[in-house]
Amino acid sequence: MVTRAADVAGWEVEGSGWSPIAAHAAKELRQHLARLPAIGSAGRIVLSHGDADTDGFSVGHSGDLLTLRGDGPRGMLNAVYWLLEQAGFVWVQPGAGGARLGPSAPLNEGQFGAAPAFARRTLILGQDALHDDWREWMEWASRNRLNDIFFHDTPPSVWDRGGLARHERHEEIERNRQGWMFELWDREGAVIRAEAAKRGMTLQFGGHHLPALIPRALFEQHPDWFPLRGGKRDGRFNLCVSSAGAVEQMRRSAGEFFGRFPGADIYHLWADDIRGGGWCECDGCAGLTPSDQALRATNVVAEVLAGAVPGARIAHLAYHDTLQPPAAVAPNENVVCLFAPRERCYAHAIDDESCAKNRDEYWRPYNGLLRTFGNDRNRVSVFEYHSDAILFKGMAPMHLEVLPRDAAAYAATAHNLQDLMVGPRPWIGAPWHAWWMAKCGWEPAVKLEGELTRFWNAVDPAHGEALAAYAVRAESAYRLFLDLHDLHVARGRDVLDFSDTPRETMFAKAVEAGAAARELIAAAESLPEPAEDAEAFNREALQGFFVALVAEHLSERLAGWAAALNRTPAAVEHIARARAALARIEEFEELFYDGTVGGAPAYANLGPRMWRGMELLTDQAERLVAEGGKA
């Protein structure tokens, strides 16, 4: 009698009339079970699926018969991965070494069924370095029951480079400051689409590419195509959505875009990534909010998409200036809402009534956007930032409590929960935050304690308990660090750059950030001493060390800034410590850009700029100190 899931090793895998997705599921099952020791029992695993376009599945177990049936082909693949999870498999990171084997769970007799909270669960690959490894990330995502991959480039790719090849050295990539996702799709798009189809995964493609539809080089010839701002036409950002010429040019360019990059289920042609001042003030646009102008442009592109790729959709990005619901423009039928609350407070859930920032600045606009899109959850996606190392300055918050609460809040109204993965370097250790998002996207009520233990024991069985304890300790420090209270996000600064408005909140935040940094440093120092033969643990310890450095820099800079405003002599010491920590960070990062420590040069199109930005803000704080705190 089978008592544990691993005991099915050696059982026959059967089925008939399989789709390509089901064939892949059977192959995955056989290959993984072959890694388990067979105990000599004989039985059958029967795979089947219906025709539904959903991800649910059912499991039946009676004696030596195990049946796995998916609502559709992808559901059958999910059933296979469910069984493999019960057998002890944990896919902690991409690549062959990321499939770990832990304890097997009991396999009870009877019937069991499961279905995800979100119809679509998306991993967003947000930069060239991650695109380069798309095969490994796609496999990892599928095995963790995600069913959508979003190819999104940061910084944006260039429409036409005139045959210029991508640079290979990190210094050249840093100087170039451009993304290369377009060339990736030109070169490997057909393979990407085939590999996604084999796994039942849909694809998304694009980013901040709306301005590329109106080439900036056309400004001198057609200034009226571009926004009127402060009484003058400005060729830097977006377009004038009231200009017939601009609209016609946008139509032509959109047709070329969809023809060149086929195969996506959802396309993204977003406005410029700026806060404030990027939209038009001419007579035709003056009565339109930024959200209205953005949606009007998206509707134009949506009309082209409807003719070029029937069934595909395009996203209206609710982000920065366009976070508020449109007031005068309604979305076309093939336009979906993409809610992207980047500057929210990640110390609290998105719907936490006790957090005024989230409640008033994000959750209320979100509910307004739902009404704009007819309260149709199939037209609402959430672009979240739980794995965004740019937002978190290279740190990796655990989101132990916030992420499942976010998922629960969104599940009733959105069909797609997405997680942006982007950063200034590769993840040093296993990406718990992305793995946790996959679990919460399937079931927001997932039990944290069991999953935390399972994940970290899979990463390193010898140190799993210590790593799980570190995660819990770091979580409390992160939440203290990330609590924005009523701090404004100043223009030109990011969330963790903080601000001095309101001044009293800034002073309190400086104290709070200092306490959080000390706790993150203590948590890293509490980990056991690294061992030469414990590579996985050593990488996690290195991650903790780096996080502590970043926290030290940010907290000391903020403390120096606050001390300067208070005109106290401690400001000089705080800024000196902030500089010392930043210098160590930059030395550490160089090892990743040149590939010395498991990195890749492609990360240099983001990382060095981020550290220079941090240095610039440190310079500003130091000048304030020198000027005696005059603000």
Side-chain angles (χ1 to χ4, degrees), residues 36-313:
L36 301 174
I39 64 172
S41 63
R44 296 183 302 141
I45 305 174
V46 179
L47 306 179
S48 64
H49 65 79
D51 298 325
D53 185 26
T54 55
D55 275 19
F57 61 87
S58 60
V59 176
H61 176 216
S62 177
D64 59 359
L65 176 64
L66 185 64
T67 60
L68 305 180
R69 180 171 178 79
D71 296 345
R74 174 70 201 186
M76 178 177 146
L77 183 58
N78 287 329
V80 162
Y81 289 137
W82 174 87
L83 177 61
L84 292 174
E85 287 170 354
Q86 308 314 302
F89 285 98
V90 186
W91 300 279
V92 298
Q93 57 193 26
R100 309 291 171 78
L101 186 59
S104 177
L107 191 62
N108 299 321
E109 294 206 356
Q111 296 289 323
F112 167 78
F118 294 88
R120 291 289 161 196
R121 303 162 310 281
T122 303
L123 179 67
I124 307 168
L125 302 179
Q127 66 195 83
D128 290 334
L130 296 171
H131 300 155
D132 291 344
D133 297 330
W134 67 264
R135 289 175 177 81
E136 291 82 3
W137 280 111
M138 182 180 287
E139 190 76 278
W140 176 90
S142 179
R143 287 172 173 172
N144 283 296
R145 289 189 260 168
L146 300 177
N147 62 1
D148 186 71
I149 296 285
F150 181 174
F151 284 80
H152 163 42
D153 54 344
T154 309
S157 295
V158 174
W159 187 269
D160 184 5
R161 300 179 199 272
L164 180 68
R166 177 172 147 184
H167 299 296
E168 296 183 1
R169 298 176 65 246
H170 75 276
E171 298 92 346
E172 297 170 328
I173 291 172
E174 179 185 350
R175 285 193 294 270
N176 181 256
R177 294 189 177 187
Q178 295 172 347
W180 292 80
M181 187 179 74
F182 288 178
E183 286 79 3
L184 172 77
W185 205 266
D186 291 340
R187 185 177 64 252
E188 301 182 40
V191 179
I192 291 170
R193 294 191 291 274
E195 290 298 313
K198 185 169 71 176
R199 294 167 176 81
M201 303 186 83
T202 48
L203 294 168
Q204 301 186 55
F205 184 88
H208 292 280
H209 299 302
L210 181 65
L213 301 183
I214 313 289
R216 307 294 99 176
L218 296 176
F219 178 70
E220 293 297 326
Q221 186 178 358
H222 300 286
D224 58 301
W225 292 6
F226 296 87
L228 183 74
R229 297 168 58 207
K232 296 182 180 180
R233 293 288 175 176
D234 190 330
R236 292 176 297 169
F237 308 120
N238 299 324
L239 74 154
C240 172
V241 297
S242 299
S243 165
V247 168
E248 184 55 35
Q249 176 62 43
M250 188 164 52
R251 289 182 186 277
R252 288 194 297 269
S253 297
E256 294 176 19
F257 186 92
F258 300 134
R260 179 176 171 183
F261 307 118
D265 178 66
I266 298 178
Y267 286 92
H268 301 268
L269 288 165
W270 306 333
D272 276 303
D273 190 4
I274 59 173
R275 290 201 307 271
W279 292 101
C280 189
E281 301 166 351
C282 76
D283 290 343
C285 295
L288 299 175
T289 67
S291 298
D292 289 321
Q293 293 188 45
L295 184 53
R296 178 182 280 189
T298 301
N299 281 343
V300 170
V301 176
E303 292 173 6
V304 179
L305 180 62
V309 192
R313 296 175 293 173

Side-chain angles (χ1 to χ4, degrees), residues 384-508:
E384 267 291 0
Y385 296 85
H386 298 106
S387 296
D388 181 355
I390 298 294
L391 175 64
F392 300 118
K393 303 296 187 185
M395 298 188 290
M398 304 298 173
H399 307 299
L400 302 186
E401 296 181 21
V402 165
L403 210 161
R405 290 185 61 189
D406 281 350
Y410 289 129
T413 52
H415 88 290
N416 189 340
L417 180 63
Q418 310 187 26
D419 183 30
L420 173 63
M421 189 163 58
V422 66
R425 55 162 171 76
W427 303 117
I428 302 175
W432 155 266
H433 35 79
W435 187 87
W436 185 225
M437 176 270 169
K439 297 302 173 190
C440 296
W442 182 276
E443 173 50 77
V446 61
K447 301 299 183 184
L448 170 62
E449 185 176 355
E451 298 300 332
L452 195 66
T453 300
R454 189 159 72 96
F455 181 86
W456 292 112
N457 280 338
V459 169
D460 186 347
H463 301 90
E465 184 176 339
L467 291 172
Y470 168 82
V472 172
R473 187 171 183 180
E475 163 81 352
S476 62
Y478 272 127
R479 293 189 68 180
L480 192 64
F481 203 89
L482 297 175
D483 195 338
L484 299 178
H485 305 291
D486 61 342
L487 273 178
H488 297 182
V489 178
R491 188 171 179 181
R493 292 177 181 263
D494 209 342
V495 173
L496 293 187
D497 295 331
F498 301 115
S499 78
D500 59 2
T501 306
R503 188 69 57 87
E504 290 305 314
T505 304
M506 183 259 208
F507 292 152

Side-chain angles (χ1 to χ4, degrees), residues 1-11 33 36-42:
M1 180 68 66
V2 174
T3 58
R4 305 193 72 78
D7 296 345
V8 302
W11 282 22
L33 290 182
L36 301 174
I39 64 172
S41 63

